[in-house]
Amino acid sequence: MAPSRPRRLQQLPPYLFVEIDRAKRVAAATGKDVINLGVGDPDQPTPKFIIERMHSAIEDPKNHRYPFDEGVPQFRRQVAEWMNKRFGVHADPDRQVLTLIGSKEGLAKLPLAVVNPGEAVLVPQPGYPVYNAAATFVGAEVHAMPLSAGTGWLPDLDAIPPAVAARARLMYLNYPNNPTGAMAPLAFYEQAVAFARRHGLVICQDAAYSELYFEQPPPSILQAPGAFELAVEVFSLSKTFNMTGWRLGFAVGNEQVLAALAQVKSNMDSGQFNAVQEAGTAALAGADRPEVRALLDVYRQRRDTLVDGLARLGWRVERPRATFYVWIRCPDGADSMTTARRLLEEANVVTIPGVGFGPAGEGYIRAALTVPAERIAEAVQRIGRVRF
Ligand SMILES: Cc1ncc(COP(=O)(O)O)c(C=O)c1O
């Protein structure tokens, strides 16, 4: 008899993409030309200067041993330098920076470092599913903070019931936002820091998309006065440098929270390969290089192709100012599963139903700009032939 799954796994929300996944596999297996706007995984290669640094790093025997617990010192120093240059934020590389095995790893382990079973975790919805899972795994109560167009996809902190705020220990935020593409102004971070101080919360701001922006660069929560007292911000090299497979991210912020997270990590993992951190050091040092910044023009062109094309067809869609996601209103009378299923079956275009990001995502689908503009134009043409 197969062992039954423990409650923490049974408690996770049902996997809503089963039907879409099945239809996608059937379409591909029958030789259909499927355009996949589902996954947020960059299609471009990692820039050459990073790969070249990896070649030399991998030859160096000092990189062949166990990584340092809190990360390679040069990488952490480069992070601190980048934070200063990019945001004007001063972080001590020895105490306020921690290397992560991709940002997901830090986001997922953070509740183990700061939350007791039975305490509440505030999670944005629609949102990246990892926050909910991570809070569930530590036996916390998950309290969804609904995001909606009316508030610019920012949570309404005043709507959090005082009793929930009193039991809450951690609040996740994510700007620029997946799946909505929204950005948060510094004034919102200031309010969030004030709220967290009032209620004794830790804030974890997920900045995985901080460098994928089309207009003004997004601020860091650590620019808000007092943020270092209670917040950590989690960054990723995945999307900025097309390095999703390399698994490298970092957390910056409150020293005690990072020390607790480092303690969790030292009991559960042994850090990221030093050579990857050395290549990541080169990546961050080269963040302003033309081949890195050129990526934004690629995504901008794709975004405009999709948004303008769908708008011409009468779809209601906002032009995101950041991320490589477009959050699209479903046609009247169609829910997100139906919309995504029909686009797949009738246009061979894969999108993600908004409800997969939690019930508050209902009424929308998400498209990722991770295929060439010509393919996006083709997807728009095909979508135009589907009658809702
Ligand atoms: C909002 C958000 N945070 C974090 C991640 C994880 O990124 P990584 O673990 O590759 O750094 C993703 C990946 O899609 C994401 O969408």
Short mmCIF file of all heavy atoms in Angstrom, two decimals, residues 40 101-105 107 128 131 174 176-178 206-209 235-239 243-244 247-249 324-325 366, ligand 1:
data_model
loop_
_atom_site.label_atom_id
_atom_site.label_comp_id
_atom_site.label_asym_id
_atom_site.label_seq_id
_atom_site.Cartn_x
_atom_site.Cartn_y
_atom_site.Cartn_z
N GLY A 40 6.75 31.10 -17.47
CA GLY A 40 7.56 32.31 -17.34
C GLY A 40 9.03 31.95 -17.31
O GLY A 40 9.73 32.27 -16.35
N ILE A 101 19.60 29.71 -3.24
CA ILE A 101 19.65 28.77 -4.38
C ILE A 101 18.44 29.08 -5.27
O ILE A 101 17.49 28.32 -5.37
CB ILE A 101 19.63 27.31 -3.88
CG1 ILE A 101 20.69 27.12 -2.78
CG2 ILE A 101 19.88 26.34 -5.03
CD1 ILE A 101 20.59 25.80 -2.04
N GLY A 102 18.46 30.26 -5.87
CA GLY A 102 17.27 30.79 -6.56
C GLY A 102 16.39 31.46 -5.52
O GLY A 102 16.40 31.09 -4.33
N SER A 103 15.62 32.45 -5.94
CA SER A 103 14.81 33.17 -4.94
C SER A 103 13.73 32.26 -4.36
O SER A 103 13.35 32.40 -3.20
CB SER A 103 14.20 34.43 -5.55
OG SER A 103 13.28 34.14 -6.56
N LYS A 104 13.24 31.31 -5.14
CA LYS A 104 12.18 30.42 -4.66
C LYS A 104 12.60 29.71 -3.37
O LYS A 104 11.80 29.53 -2.45
CB LYS A 104 11.88 29.38 -5.75
CG LYS A 104 10.76 28.44 -5.44
CD LYS A 104 10.56 27.50 -6.62
CE LYS A 104 9.29 26.69 -6.54
NZ LYS A 104 9.10 25.90 -7.78
N GLU A 105 13.88 29.33 -3.33
CA GLU A 105 14.37 28.61 -2.15
C GLU A 105 14.22 29.46 -0.88
O GLU A 105 13.75 28.98 0.16
CB GLU A 105 15.84 28.22 -2.38
CG GLU A 105 16.41 27.32 -1.32
CD GLU A 105 17.48 27.97 -0.46
OE1 GLU A 105 18.10 28.96 -0.90
OE2 GLU A 105 17.68 27.48 0.65
N LEU A 107 12.24 32.14 -0.46
CA LEU A 107 10.83 32.43 -0.21
C LEU A 107 10.16 31.24 0.48
O LEU A 107 9.34 31.41 1.39
CB LEU A 107 10.10 32.71 -1.53
CG LEU A 107 10.56 33.95 -2.31
CD1 LEU A 107 10.06 33.91 -3.75
CD2 LEU A 107 10.10 35.22 -1.60
N TYR A 128 1.98 34.24 -6.61
CA TYR A 128 2.89 33.11 -6.85
C TYR A 128 2.57 32.03 -5.80
O TYR A 128 2.60 32.32 -4.59
CB TYR A 128 4.32 33.66 -6.69
CG TYR A 128 5.45 32.73 -6.98
CD1 TYR A 128 5.50 31.99 -8.16
CD2 TYR A 128 6.51 32.63 -6.09
CE1 TYR A 128 6.59 31.16 -8.42
CE2 TYR A 128 7.60 31.81 -6.35
CZ TYR A 128 7.63 31.07 -7.51
OH TYR A 128 8.70 30.26 -7.76
N TYR A 131 4.18 31.09 -1.84
CA TYR A 131 3.94 31.72 -0.52
C TYR A 131 2.92 30.89 0.28
O TYR A 131 3.11 30.62 1.47
CB TYR A 131 3.40 33.14 -0.64
CG TYR A 131 4.06 34.01 -1.71
CD1 TYR A 131 3.29 34.78 -2.57
CD2 TYR A 131 5.45 34.04 -1.84
CE1 TYR A 131 3.88 35.58 -3.54
CE2 TYR A 131 6.04 34.83 -2.81
CZ TYR A 131 5.25 35.58 -3.66
OH TYR A 131 5.83 36.36 -4.64
N ASN A 174 4.89 41.14 -3.44
CA ASN A 174 5.60 40.78 -4.68
C ASN A 174 5.38 41.87 -5.72
O ASN A 174 4.35 41.90 -6.38
CB ASN A 174 5.09 39.41 -5.18
CG ASN A 174 5.53 39.10 -6.60
OD1 ASN A 174 4.76 38.56 -7.40
ND2 ASN A 174 6.74 39.44 -6.95
N PRO A 176 7.81 44.12 -8.80
CA PRO A 176 6.75 44.00 -9.78
C PRO A 176 6.06 42.64 -9.66
O PRO A 176 6.71 41.63 -9.36
CB PRO A 176 7.47 44.14 -11.12
CG PRO A 176 8.70 44.93 -10.81
CD PRO A 176 9.11 44.52 -9.43
N ASN A 177 4.74 42.65 -9.92
CA ASN A 177 3.90 41.53 -9.51
C ASN A 177 3.70 40.47 -10.59
O ASN A 177 3.39 40.77 -11.74
CB ASN A 177 2.54 42.11 -9.09
CG ASN A 177 1.61 41.05 -8.55
OD1 ASN A 177 0.70 40.63 -9.24
ND2 ASN A 177 1.83 40.61 -7.33
N ASN A 178 3.83 39.23 -10.16
CA ASN A 178 3.38 38.08 -10.93
C ASN A 178 2.07 37.65 -10.27
O ASN A 178 2.07 37.41 -9.08
CB ASN A 178 4.42 36.95 -10.84
CG ASN A 178 3.94 35.67 -11.48
OD1 ASN A 178 2.96 35.64 -12.21
ND2 ASN A 178 4.64 34.57 -11.18
N ASP A 206 9.11 40.05 -2.49
CA ASP A 206 9.68 39.24 -3.56
C ASP A 206 9.92 40.13 -4.78
O ASP A 206 8.98 40.55 -5.45
CB ASP A 206 8.68 38.11 -3.88
CG ASP A 206 9.11 37.25 -5.05
OD1 ASP A 206 10.14 37.53 -5.66
OD2 ASP A 206 8.37 36.28 -5.34
N ALA A 207 11.20 40.39 -5.05
CA ALA A 207 11.57 41.32 -6.13
C ALA A 207 12.18 40.57 -7.31
O ALA A 207 13.06 41.08 -8.00
CB ALA A 207 12.54 42.37 -5.59
N ALA A 208 11.67 39.36 -7.57
CA ALA A 208 12.25 38.52 -8.64
C ALA A 208 12.24 39.23 -10.00
O ALA A 208 13.08 38.96 -10.85
CB ALA A 208 11.49 37.20 -8.74
N TYR A 209 11.29 40.16 -10.18
CA TYR A 209 11.18 40.85 -11.48
C TYR A 209 11.67 42.30 -11.41
O TYR A 209 11.31 43.12 -12.26
CB TYR A 209 9.72 40.80 -11.98
CG TYR A 209 9.28 39.38 -12.22
CD1 TYR A 209 8.63 38.65 -11.23
CD2 TYR A 209 9.57 38.75 -13.42
CE1 TYR A 209 8.26 37.33 -11.43
CE2 TYR A 209 9.21 37.41 -13.63
CZ TYR A 209 8.56 36.72 -12.63
OH TYR A 209 8.21 35.41 -12.83
N PHE A 235 15.75 38.77 -4.17
CA PHE A 235 16.04 39.07 -5.58
C PHE A 235 16.47 37.79 -6.30
O PHE A 235 16.87 36.81 -5.67
CB PHE A 235 17.17 40.10 -5.69
CG PHE A 235 16.79 41.46 -5.17
CD1 PHE A 235 16.90 41.76 -3.81
CD2 PHE A 235 16.31 42.44 -6.03
CE1 PHE A 235 16.55 43.01 -3.33
CE2 PHE A 235 15.96 43.70 -5.55
CZ PHE A 235 16.08 43.99 -4.20
N SER A 236 16.42 37.87 -7.62
CA SER A 236 16.75 36.68 -8.42
C SER A 236 17.58 37.08 -9.62
O SER A 236 17.36 38.13 -10.21
CB SER A 236 15.45 36.03 -8.89
OG SER A 236 15.75 35.00 -9.80
N LEU A 237 18.53 36.20 -9.99
CA LEU A 237 19.25 36.44 -11.24
C LEU A 237 18.55 35.77 -12.41
O LEU A 237 18.93 35.93 -13.56
CB LEU A 237 20.71 35.95 -11.12
CG LEU A 237 21.64 36.95 -10.43
CD1 LEU A 237 21.42 36.96 -8.93
CD2 LEU A 237 23.09 36.70 -10.76
N SER A 238 17.49 34.99 -12.11
CA SER A 238 16.84 34.15 -13.12
C SER A 238 16.36 34.91 -14.33
O SER A 238 16.65 34.54 -15.47
CB SER A 238 15.65 33.42 -12.50
OG SER A 238 16.08 32.40 -11.63
N LYS A 239 15.56 35.94 -14.09
CA LYS A 239 14.88 36.60 -15.21
C LYS A 239 15.74 37.72 -15.77
O LYS A 239 15.75 37.96 -16.97
CB LYS A 239 13.54 37.15 -14.75
CG LYS A 239 12.80 36.27 -13.76
CD LYS A 239 12.11 35.06 -14.37
CE LYS A 239 11.63 34.11 -13.29
NZ LYS A 239 10.47 33.36 -13.58
N MET A 243 18.86 33.27 -16.40
CA MET A 243 19.62 32.26 -15.65
C MET A 243 18.70 31.37 -14.82
O MET A 243 19.10 30.93 -13.74
CB MET A 243 20.65 32.96 -14.74
CG MET A 243 21.78 33.64 -15.52
SD MET A 243 22.91 34.55 -14.44
CE MET A 243 23.84 33.21 -13.67
N THR A 244 17.51 31.09 -15.31
CA THR A 244 16.58 30.31 -14.47
C THR A 244 17.17 28.96 -14.05
O THR A 244 16.95 28.51 -12.94
CB THR A 244 15.23 30.09 -15.19
OG1 THR A 244 15.47 29.64 -16.51
CG2 THR A 244 14.39 31.35 -15.23
N ARG A 247 19.96 28.65 -10.85
CA ARG A 247 19.50 28.70 -9.46
C ARG A 247 20.35 29.64 -8.59
O ARG A 247 21.12 29.20 -7.74
CB ARG A 247 19.45 27.29 -8.83
CG ARG A 247 18.78 26.21 -9.63
CD ARG A 247 17.41 26.60 -10.17
NE ARG A 247 16.52 27.04 -9.14
CZ ARG A 247 15.78 28.17 -9.23
NH1 ARG A 247 15.83 28.95 -10.28
NH2 ARG A 247 14.98 28.49 -8.24
N LEU A 248 20.18 30.92 -8.82
CA LEU A 248 20.90 31.88 -7.99
C LEU A 248 20.02 33.09 -7.68
O LEU A 248 19.44 33.70 -8.57
CB LEU A 248 22.20 32.34 -8.70
CG LEU A 248 23.12 33.24 -7.86
CD1 LEU A 248 23.57 32.54 -6.58
CD2 LEU A 248 24.35 33.66 -8.68
N GLY A 249 19.93 33.38 -6.39
CA GLY A 249 19.20 34.55 -5.93
C GLY A 249 19.86 35.05 -4.65
O GLY A 249 20.88 34.50 -4.21
N PHE A 324 7.45 40.17 -17.40
CA PHE A 324 7.14 39.72 -18.76
C PHE A 324 5.80 38.98 -18.80
O PHE A 324 5.63 38.04 -19.57
CB PHE A 324 8.29 38.91 -19.38
CG PHE A 324 8.85 37.77 -18.57
CD1 PHE A 324 8.04 36.91 -17.85
CD2 PHE A 324 10.23 37.56 -18.58
CE1 PHE A 324 8.57 35.86 -17.14
CE2 PHE A 324 10.78 36.51 -17.87
CZ PHE A 324 9.95 35.66 -17.15
N TYR A 325 4.86 39.45 -17.98
CA TYR A 325 3.51 38.88 -18.00
C TYR A 325 2.49 39.91 -18.44
O TYR A 325 2.63 41.10 -18.14
CB TYR A 325 3.12 38.39 -16.60
CG TYR A 325 4.04 37.32 -16.07
CD1 TYR A 325 4.83 37.55 -14.95
CD2 TYR A 325 4.15 36.09 -16.72
CE1 TYR A 325 5.69 36.58 -14.47
CE2 TYR A 325 5.01 35.11 -16.24
CZ TYR A 325 5.77 35.37 -15.12
OH TYR A 325 6.63 34.40 -14.65
N ARG A 366 -3.32 34.75 -17.72
CA ARG A 366 -1.97 35.33 -17.80
C ARG A 366 -1.23 34.80 -19.01
O ARG A 366 -1.22 33.58 -19.25
CB ARG A 366 -1.17 34.98 -16.53
CG ARG A 366 0.13 35.76 -16.42
CD ARG A 366 1.09 35.14 -15.41
NE ARG A 366 1.72 33.94 -15.95
CZ ARG A 366 2.60 33.19 -15.28
NH1 ARG A 366 2.94 33.51 -14.04
NH2 ARG A 366 3.14 32.13 -15.85
C1 LIG B 1 7.00 35.98 -8.29
C2 LIG B 1 8.12 35.01 -8.42
N1 LIG B 1 8.99 34.90 -7.41
C3 LIG B 1 10.01 34.03 -7.46
C4 LIG B 1 10.19 33.21 -8.55
C5 LIG B 1 11.29 32.21 -8.52
O1 LIG B 1 12.41 32.58 -9.23
P1 LIG B 1 13.80 31.86 -9.02
O2 LIG B 1 13.64 30.81 -7.97
O3 LIG B 1 14.16 31.29 -10.34
O4 LIG B 1 14.74 32.93 -8.56
C6 LIG B 1 9.31 33.28 -9.62
C7 LIG B 1 9.48 32.39 -10.77
O5 LIG B 1 8.71 32.32 -11.71
C8 LIG B 1 8.24 34.20 -9.54
O6 LIG B 1 7.35 34.31 -10.53
#
